[in-house]
């Protein structure tokens, strides 16, 4: 996780992005079990954290911008009060200081400071997301995790809120993780991208490299599924099928059931994560054929169910 | 009459049993119902004495306040009546009151809810205003006044209970109908030219019948409780034995200061069991306990 | 604003409808129609006065308007039994009922909210399996029976508490307030209050528990955890505050409902309140008194329903700041 950069975390709806992002703050439902993998932050292993360690990190170092600010703000308290709560209980600020800070935060994200007297339901969707950004920045965190901060908004407002976010990120030198299922958001606002499929990272690297030369078939497919970046023809080609049930993932490559390039090996063993270029990794058995596959992937036919036997 | 009326919970029970997974609470509730139903059915044979007969021993002395024992399972009252037999016969009365009130409440509530929800517009507004008024009337005082003025008969208690209890059922049924009505299959039925009545009875009814049974099973408990209260206050029928009557008798005869617990504790336990059984079966605790909160 | 107005109109409509039902109920009773206000024990002069006051010699529809007009002025007739204005009688017992209801309701709600919230927080523990059925059983028990059991055990059995009434016979007080705040009154209050408390605590307890469970699933609770707020502050400031909304409404509704529901408890403990007055009036065919007591109970119920509505909107900014 490079300092001062925005990393995009992309994947289909339901692939576990929110879950992964929440796990980074150590807030998981009681029935969750972290089965494997490592999470490190500032050189420390978050998975080994006790309650005390978390207390130092939560919101003070890692803050969160939720998918739906409407549900994430307590409906019975004024927006300003909720920010003040964090400032005073978590930031240790006094009454006067926290009032000043709330004003400052509101103007930073572009909401008139007098609106802090409003209740969440009185805000528009865009304002609520801005308020959520203000809330996240309250304690000057080192890392901000934004879980689809703009998905619920219309395109124009999306752009405005993203601009605000990006602008503040640069100005404050924040590191940020931007979770999204929208690859155009990644292209617009991120420096690096991590592509997830069915709870696993399938490809990671600098935005330009990943988008221009995707190495994993799933990334190629995602790319096609979005019109403004996709092929000239403009038709949208969805990836057929649905993500697997995460409680019982298929063995071998998790993408195999939907991958047009799947071979026998894919269904037997999980592909290892391989570095394809400096800072660019992917996990696929057929990485060495990537250029050819990219070629094939551009053709609509490839993605139709009937022609899955490309191998 | 008794048999016909009492048969309904068994029918409701049949439906429940067909559910794929039976909730343990519901199972307990059903068991309680079945036991009381059997007791009511065979009350004549289970009772050891005539509940109203004043008993004397062989020497002609009044068998007053006899402690529980072999001859009198729960002892006798201060007037020498057998408490166990009263309890058993009281079951019959309780179930008749409970079940007949439940039938009236459930059918009236369902009918009003159906009509209001299905026809909407002014019919709906009118019926719901009437429901508001019924809910604005204090429950027990109304039943007492009505029972006192119309005559102390079991049927009047049932009528009074039904008059005030139907709105809860009607409101729930109405909102259910509103949901169901919009569903696609009804649209389809409309397109293919089914008549309004056909849609109502063929498509909407089956969706709300479970709710009808649910609210019926709650009404059983309320009616029994209400009948007991009315009897306790002395406005109940004097010719038949009910649990409320037993409690009134015990209260009036200073059973509490005498500490004759076996007299007034068992009827209360029986009432609790029957009412709790209704709660358990319906499981919608909050709605049972306070239907007005959920709208 | 318009919401309050509609609710107010709605309340008046219900009050009017109930008054009308009451009128019909007492007028269409079998027997002498003047029976609603005039008893044979009244003097000829008194009878004549009442006949004119309630227009009992006029056609029914005129009687109805006279009745409504009298109601608006608080004119409820004269009690057959006490030979005193009904309004004075009902108002004189009102404080006893209000005190009994309010104290027991308040205790029940404080207890219910705390235990309910705690149960939600410790959900799934074995306690649930014990507490919930017991609460339901108490809720299913007839209030008067609970009263009888308490009377037998604590009243007669231990002999700690007086068995009935609101004051010891012969006790005198300088004022109504002195009476209500006396130790004697408090001692008499214990058993009826305990009875009502046991009966009433189930609703807030179960309501609070289920609301808490629901609120605890909300995203803003998850967010509060991410913010690193203390568990205490999450539970109290956020979860409980939200879960309390319907409970507060239930309190107001319960207050209105209990005034009438106290009928049996007041009878068990001979508590000189509105409910007992009603029961005695009905039993003694004291029609004007029965009508008056019934009307007052209804008014309480309807007004508290209205208050509950206002309270809800005051406490929920989604309604009050629409
Ligand atoms: N690694 C995992 N192992 C098992 N289950 C998972 C895993 N990740 C997520 N899930 C489950 O998958 C479901 C969807 O997860 P999540 O909400 O994180 O998806 P999402 O990518 O954020 O979707 P959306 O784009 O709709 O917000 C959840 O019920 C979650 O419990
Ligand atoms: S490993 Fe096989 S199935 Fe998985 S993405 Fe690569 S080609 Fe497709
Ligand atoms: Mg998500």
């Amino acid at each position: 996780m490079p300092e001062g950069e925005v990393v995009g975390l992309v994947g289909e709806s339901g692939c576990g992005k929110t879950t992964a992002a929440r796990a980074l703050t150590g807030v998981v439902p009681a029935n969750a079990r972290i089965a494997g993998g490592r999470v490190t932050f500032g050189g420390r292993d978050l998975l080994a954290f006790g309650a005390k360690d978390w207390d130092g990190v939560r919101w003070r170092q890692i803050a969160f911008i939720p998918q739906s600010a409407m549900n994430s703000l307590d409906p019975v308290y004024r927006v300003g009060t909720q920010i003040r709560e964090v400032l005073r209980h978590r930031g240790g600020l006094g009454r006067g200081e926290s009032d000043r800070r709330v004003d400052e935060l509101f103007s930073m994200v572009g909401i008139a400071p007098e609106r802090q007297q409003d209740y969440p339901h009185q805000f528009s969707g865009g304002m609520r997301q801005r308020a959520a950004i203000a809330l996240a920045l309250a304690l000057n965190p080192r890392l901000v995790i934004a879980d689809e901060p703009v998905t619920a908004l219309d395109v124009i407002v999306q752009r405005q809120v993203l601009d605000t976010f990006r602008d503040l990120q640069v100005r404050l030198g924040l590191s940020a993780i931007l979770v999204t299922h929208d690859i155009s958001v990644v292209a617009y606002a991120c420096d690096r991208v991590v592509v997830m499929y069915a709870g696993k990272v399938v490809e990671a690297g600098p935005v330009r490299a990943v988008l221009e030369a995707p190495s994993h078939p799933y990334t190629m497919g995602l790319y096609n599924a979005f019109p403004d970046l996709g092929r000239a023809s403009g038709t949208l080609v969805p990836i057929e099928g649905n993500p697997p049930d995460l409680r019982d993932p298929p063995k071998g490559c998790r993408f195999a059931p939907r991958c047009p390039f799947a071979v026998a090996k894919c269904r037997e063993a999980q592909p290892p994560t391989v570095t394809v270029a400096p800072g660019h990794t992917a996990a696929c058995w057929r990485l060495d054929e990537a250029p050819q596959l990219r070629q094939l992937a551009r053709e609509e036919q490839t993605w139709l169910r009937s022609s899955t036997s490309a191998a | 009459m008794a048999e016909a009326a009492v048969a309904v919970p068994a029918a409701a029970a049949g439906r429940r049993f067909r559910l794929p997974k039976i909730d343990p609470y519901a199972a307990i509730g059903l068991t309680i119902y079945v036991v009381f139903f059997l007791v009511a059915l065979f009350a004549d044979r289970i009772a050891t004495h005539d509940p109203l007969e004043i008993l004397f021993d062989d020497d002609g002395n009044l068998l007053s306040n006899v402690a529980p024992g072999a001859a009198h399972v729960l002892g006798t009252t201060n007037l020498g009546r057998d408490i166990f037999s009263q309890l058993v016969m009281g079951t019959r009365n309780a179930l008749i009151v409970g079940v007949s009130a439940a039938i009236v409440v459930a059918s009236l509530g369902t009918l009003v809810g159906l009509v209001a929800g299905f026809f909407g517009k002014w019919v709906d507004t009118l019926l719901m205003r009437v429901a508001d008024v019924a809910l604005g009337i204090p429950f027990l005082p109304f039943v007492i006044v009505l029972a006192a003025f119309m005559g102390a008969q079991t049927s009047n208690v049932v009528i009074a209970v039904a008059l005030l209890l139907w709105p809860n059922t009607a409101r729930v049924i109405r909102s259910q109908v509103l949901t169901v009505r919009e569903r696609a299959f009804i649209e389809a039925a409309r397109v293919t030219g089914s008549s309004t009545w056909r849609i109502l009875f063929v498509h909407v009814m089956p969706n709300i019948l479970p709710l009808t049974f649910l609210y019926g099973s709650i009404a059983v408990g309320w009616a029994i409780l209400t009948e007991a209260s009315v009897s306790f206050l002395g406005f109940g029928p004097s010719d038949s034995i009910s649990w409320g009557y037993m409690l009134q008798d015990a209260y009036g005869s200073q059973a509490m200061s005498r500490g004759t617990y076996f007299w007034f504790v068992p009827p209360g336990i029986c009432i609790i069991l029957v009412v709790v059984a209704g709660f358990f079966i319906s499981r919608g605790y909050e709605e049972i306990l306070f239907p007005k909160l959920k709208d | 604003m318009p919401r309050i107005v509609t609710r107010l109109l709605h309340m008046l409509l219900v009050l009017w409808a109930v008054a009308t039902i009451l009128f019909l109920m007492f007028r269409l009773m079998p027997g002498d129609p003047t029976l609603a206000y005039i008893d044979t024990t009244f003097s000829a002069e008194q009878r004549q006065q009442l006949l004119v006051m309630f227009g009992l010699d006029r056609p029914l529809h005129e009687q109805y308007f006279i009745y409504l007009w009298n109601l608006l002025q608080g004119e409820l007739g004269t009690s057959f039994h006490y030979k005193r204005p009904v309004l004075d009688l009902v108002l004189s017992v009102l404080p006893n009922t209000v005190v009994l209801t309010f104290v027991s309701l308040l205790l029940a709600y404080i207890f219910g909210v705390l235990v309910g919230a705690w149960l939600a927080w410790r959900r799934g523990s074995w306690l649930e399996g014990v507490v919930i059925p017991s609460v339901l059983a108490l809720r299913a028990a007839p209030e008067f029976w609970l009263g009888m059991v308490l009377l037998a055990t604590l009243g007669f059995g231990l002999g700690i508490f007086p068995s009935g009434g609101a004051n010891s016979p012969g006790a005198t007080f300088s004022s109504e307030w002195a009476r209500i705040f006396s130790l004697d009154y408090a001692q008499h209050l214990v058993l009826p209050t305990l009875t009502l408390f046991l009966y009433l605590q189930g609703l807030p307890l179960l309501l609070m528990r289920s609301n808490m469970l629901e609120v605890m699933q909300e995203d803003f609770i998850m967010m509060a955890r991410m913010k690193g707020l203390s568990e205490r502050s999450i539970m109290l400031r956020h979860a409980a505050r939200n879960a309390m909304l319907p409970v507060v409404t239930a309190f107001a509704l319960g207050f209105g409902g209990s005034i009438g529901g106290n009928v049996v408890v007041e009878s068990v403990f001979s508590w000189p309140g509105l409910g007992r007055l009603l029961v005695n009036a009905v039993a003694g065919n004291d029609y004007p008194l029965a009508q008056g007591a019934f009307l007052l109970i209804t008014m309480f119920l309807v007004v508290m329903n209205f208050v509950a509505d206002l309270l809800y909107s005051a406490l929920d900014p989604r309604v009050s700041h629409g």
Side-chain angles (χ1 to χ4, degrees):
Chain A
M1 177 75 220
E3 197 79 23
E5 282 193 356
V6 181
V7 175
L9 184 65
V10 220
E12 270 169 305
S13 216
C15 74
K17 304 182 300 289
T18 302
T19 310
R22 278 181 178 165
L24 289 179
T25 64
V27 177
V28 287
N31 62 354
R33 190 174 54 90
I34 296 178
R38 278 175 321 116
V39 189
T40 51
F41 178 75
R44 299 198 294 157
D45 184 1
L46 290 182
L47 294 184
F49 264 30
K52 235 193 154 64
D53 305 303
W54 275 121
D55 188 58
V57 170
R58 275 192 197 140
W59 222 258
R60 296 185 178 146
Q61 301 198 21
I62 303 182
F64 191 80
I65 300 172
Q67 188 161 2
S68 156
M70 182 69 219
N71 302 331
S72 305
L73 293 167
D74 189 330
V76 301
Y77 293 107
R78 297 174 197 278
V79 178
T81 311
Q82 300 190 44
I83 299 180
R84 228 166 273 128
E85 179 187 29
V86 165
L87 291 169
R88 303 200 48 191
H89 291 271
R90 301 286 298 150
L93 264 59
R95 190 180 292 274
E97 281 174 296
S98 61
D99 286 353
R100 242 169 292 131
R101 178 75 176 144
V102 173
D103 285 347
E104 185 187 359
L105 286 165
F106 264 67
S107 31
M108 238 155 77
V109 297
I111 312 178
E114 42 305 350
R115 295 299 298 264
Q116 52 180 283
Q117 293 301 326
D118 282 4
Y119 287 95
H121 73 274
Q122 293 168 296
F123 273 20
S124 71
M127 282 166 76
R128 276 198 286 269
Q129 281 323 128
R130 285 169 190 271
I133 295 174
L135 189 63
L137 299 179
L139 303 180
N140 292 314
R142 285 168 59 195
L143 171 66
V144 173
I145 302 167
D147 182 12
E148 314 204 32
V150 296
T151 307
L153 308 175
D154 66 61
V155 187
I156 297 175
V157 184
Q158 270 194 9
R159 197 45 80 93
Q160 292 168 348
V161 173
L162 273 183
D163 284 340
T164 307
F165 177 75
R166 183 79 194 180
D167 178 50
L168 286 168
Q169 181 266 327
V170 172
R171 245 172 59 204
L172 305 173
L174 287 174
S175 309
I177 296 178
L178 197 103
V179 179
T180 176
H181 63 252
D182 184 342
I183 212 153
S184 60
V185 169
V186 173
Y188 187 71
C190 299
D191 306 302
R192 284 179 58 82
V193 58
V194 173
V195 182
M196 276 185 78
Y197 180 76
K200 282 218 174 294
V201 174
V202 295
E203 184 165 3
V207 166
R208 286 194 76 81
V210 173
L211 293 187
E212 276 167 17
S215 301
H216 193 281
Y218 177 64
T219 318
M220 302 173 195
L222 265 189
Y223 196 75
N224 282 342
F226 283 90
D228 39 342
L229 308 149
R231 298 112 8 91
S233 76
T235 28
L236 211 78
V237 188
I239 306 175
E240 290 211 6
N242 291 310
D245 183 354
L246 290 183
R247 282 163 303 180
D248 180 24
K251 91 181 211 290
C253 175
R254 290 187 175 185
F255 189 50
R258 293 167 71 194
C259 180
F261 314 123
V263 290
K265 195 178 184 183
C266 303
R267 296 195 178 82
E268 273 142 34
Q270 277 194 26
T273 303
V274 176
T275 306
V276 290
H280 185 173
T281 60
C284 171
W285 286 117
R286 301 180 65 184
L287 284 179
D288 33 341
E289 303 161 60
Q292 294 95 295
L293 298 185
R294 264 201 293 280
Q295 214 51 50
L296 276 170
R298 282 182 202 276
E299 275 151 44
E300 216 168 303
Q301 278 304 315
T302 314
W303 296 96
L304 298 178
R305 256 279 177 261
S306 49
S307 57
T308 34
S309 51
Chain B
M1 162 66 204
E3 269 72 12
V6 181
V8 166
R15 284 181 72 84
R16 294 267 126 190
F17 271 121
R18 258 181 269 122
L19 290 176
K21 209 176 70 186
I22 185 147
D23 170 274
Y25 279 96
I28 295 173
L30 279 173
T31 313
I32 296 175
Y33 268 5
V34 169
V35 169
F36 275 103
F37 172 65
L38 290 176
V39 170
L41 203 61
F42 298 111
D44 294 322
R45 281 188 234 166
I46 298 172
T48 51
H49 297 82
D50 177 341
L52 288 175
E53 189 191 343
I54 294 171
L55 304 169
F56 296 92
D57 65 9
D58 297 338
D59 303 335
N61 297 323
L62 182 67
L63 281 172
S64 165
N65 292 319
V66 175
H72 301 280
V73 182
L74 289 173
T76 60
T77 71
N78 67 331
L79 280 183
R81 290 171 171 145
D82 184 67
I83 296 172
F84 176 72
S85 304
Q86 293 196 341
L87 197 67
V88 170
M89 296 307 279
T91 307
R92 194 173 268 186
N93 191 308
L95 286 195
I96 292 174
V97 170
V99 172
S100 45
I103 293 174
V104 182
V105 169
S107 20
L108 194 61
T110 304
L111 189 69
V112 173
L114 259 183
V115 170
F118 199 79
F119 293 104
K121 304 214 182 69
W122 64 268
V123 180
D124 184 25
T125 314
L126 180 76
L127 288 173
M128 286 302 112
R129 284 297 151 271
V130 175
D132 287 340
V133 171
L135 288 175
I137 294 176
F139 190 71
L140 205 49
F142 179 78
V143 181
I144 292 168
V145 171
L146 213 68
F149 290 164
M150 295 191 355
Q153 287 147 22
T154 310
S155 58
N156 286 340
V157 174
V158 170
I159 291 173
V161 168
L163 276 178
L164 294 194
L165 227 49
W166 65 266
N168 297 323
T169 315
R171 283 185 172 186
V172 175
I173 298 281
R174 170 181 169 270
S175 60
Q176 180 71 8
V177 171
L178 289 180
T179 331
V180 171
R181 199 172 68 144
E182 300 315 317
R183 288 205 198 131
F185 69 90
I186 292 185
E187 282 311 310
R190 230 175 231 154
V191 172
T192 53
S194 309
S195 78
T196 307
W197 292 105
R198 213 186 114 74
I199 296 168
L200 194 60
F201 285 102
V202 176
H203 298 285
V204 178
M205 272 301 244
N207 281 296
I208 58 169
L209 276 179
L211 275 179
T212 304
F213 279 108
L214 213 70
Y215 274 74
S217 73
I218 302 164
V220 172
W222 282 131
I224 291 175
L225 269 178
T226 309
E227 195 275 338
S229 300
V230 172
S231 297
F232 175 75
L233 293 172
F235 302 113
S238 47
D239 53 340
S240 65
I241 291 287
S242 74
W243 294 333
Y245 165 86
M246 289 175 72
L247 289 169
Q248 186 215 8
D249 197 14
Y251 180 83
S253 315
Q254 262 95 48
M256 287 96 62
S257 59
R258 293 198 187 125
T260 44
Y261 289 96
F262 51 83
W263 190 354
F264 63 86
V265 171
I269 305 263
C270 286
I271 296 176
I272 293 181
L273 284 175
V274 181
V275 178
V276 158
F279 286 0
F280 278 4
I281 288 175
S282 55
R283 282 284 288 199
Y285 304 136
E286 289 75 43
E287 273 151 80
I288 312 160
L289 295 167
F290 233 97
K292 281 185 206 175
L293 292 173
K294 288 280 167 177
D295 50 40
Chain C
M1 185 60 198
R3 184 184 154 84
I4 292 187
V5 175
T6 39
R7 299 310 298 182
L8 197 67
L9 287 175
H10 190 224
M11 177 184 89
L12 292 177
L13 174 81
V14 173
L15 272 179
W16 165 77
V18 173
T20 306
I21 291 172
L22 207 60
F23 173 84
L24 293 174
M25 228 159 87
F26 281 83
R27 280 338 131 91
L28 302 180
M29 255 178 342
D32 183 1
T34 63
L35 214 59
Y37 290 103
I38 297 177
D39 189 44
T40 46
T41 60
F42 285 150
S43 67
E45 186 192 343
Q46 254 178 329
R47 282 191 212 189
Q48 192 50 41
Q49 191 197 341
L50 287 165
L51 206 64
V52 174
M53 179 182 281
F54 290 97
L56 298 181
D57 47 355
R58 307 212 199 164
L60 204 60
H61 68 272
E62 279 181 46
Q63 281 190 36
Y64 174 64
F65 290 109
I66 295 171
Y67 160 85
L68 285 184
W69 180 239
N70 279 331
L71 265 192
L72 284 178
Q73 296 174 309
E75 180 51 73
L76 299 168
T78 305
S79 158
F80 295 169
H81 180 71
Y82 299 94
K83 306 281 188 285
R84 280 173 55 197
V86 167
L87 190 66
D88 292 358
L89 285 166
V90 292
L91 290 183
S92 74
V93 298
L94 189 61
N96 288 332
T97 291
V98 171
V99 169
L100 171 60
T101 308
F102 191 74
V103 172
S104 38
L105 208 60
L106 197 65
L107 293 176
Y109 273 69
I110 292 172
F111 174 85
V113 162
L114 293 177
V115 175
W118 185 70
L119 274 182
W121 187 48
R122 306 282 312 268
R123 70 181 171 285
S125 76
W126 61 273
L127 271 166
E128 229 164 54
V130 177
V131 177
I132 292 181
S134 340
V135 165
L136 284 174
L138 280 175
R139 185 81 191 153
E143 289 160 279
F144 62 87
W145 179 77
L146 284 179
M148 285 169 74
V149 172
L150 290 180
L151 205 53
T153 50
L154 300 181
F156 295 111
L158 295 178
I160 326 174
F161 300 108
S163 62
N167 288 106
S168 302
T172 51
F173 300 95
S174 54
S175 71
E176 180 70 4
W177 290 111
R179 185 179 74 82
I180 288 176
F181 286 102
S182 68
L183 183 67
D184 182 50
Y185 189 79
Q187 277 175 340
H188 282 82
L189 192 61
V190 173
L191 286 184
T193 302
L194 188 59
T195 307
L196 275 175
F197 165 81
L198 287 177
Y199 178 71
L200 293 169
Q201 48 80 37
L203 171 69
L205 192 151
L206 296 176
L207 195 60
M208 188 65 190
R209 176 179 165 274
S210 74
N211 289 342
M212 275 290 270
L213 288 178
E214 218 166 278
V215 172
M216 276 157 60
Q217 301 299 313
E218 299 274 351
D219 280 357
F220 63 82
I221 296 295
M222 175 90 77
M223 264 305 264
R225 293 231 159 80
M226 289 184 177
K227 290 176 195 161
L229 297 174
S230 69
E231 195 63 16
R232 215 181 102 90
S233 134
I234 294 173
M235 283 299 142
L236 296 180
R237 271 180 62 83
H238 296 282
R241 170 67 175 77
N242 275 277
M244 277 291 286
L245 289 175
V247 182
V248 174
T249 315
F251 182 87
L253 291 176
F255 192 53
S258 301
I259 296 271
N262 281 352
V263 172
V264 279
V265 173
E266 289 185 0
S267 296
V268 172
F269 293 98
S270 321
W271 185 257
L274 208 50
R276 206 170 87 100
L277 194 70
L278 174 76
V279 170
N280 290 343
V282 172
N285 293 331
D286 192 341
Y287 299 122
L289 188 57
Q291 258 190 95
F294 189 86
L295 265 172
L296 198 63
I297 291 173
T298 308
M299 236 174 81
F300 248 96
L301 179 64
V302 176
V303 171
M304 288 318 287
N305 286 356
F306 173 67
V307 170
D309 207 67
L310 290 191
L311 264 180
Y312 192 87
S313 28
L315 289 175
D316 190 343
R318 279 161 295 189
V319 182
S320 54
H321 293 71

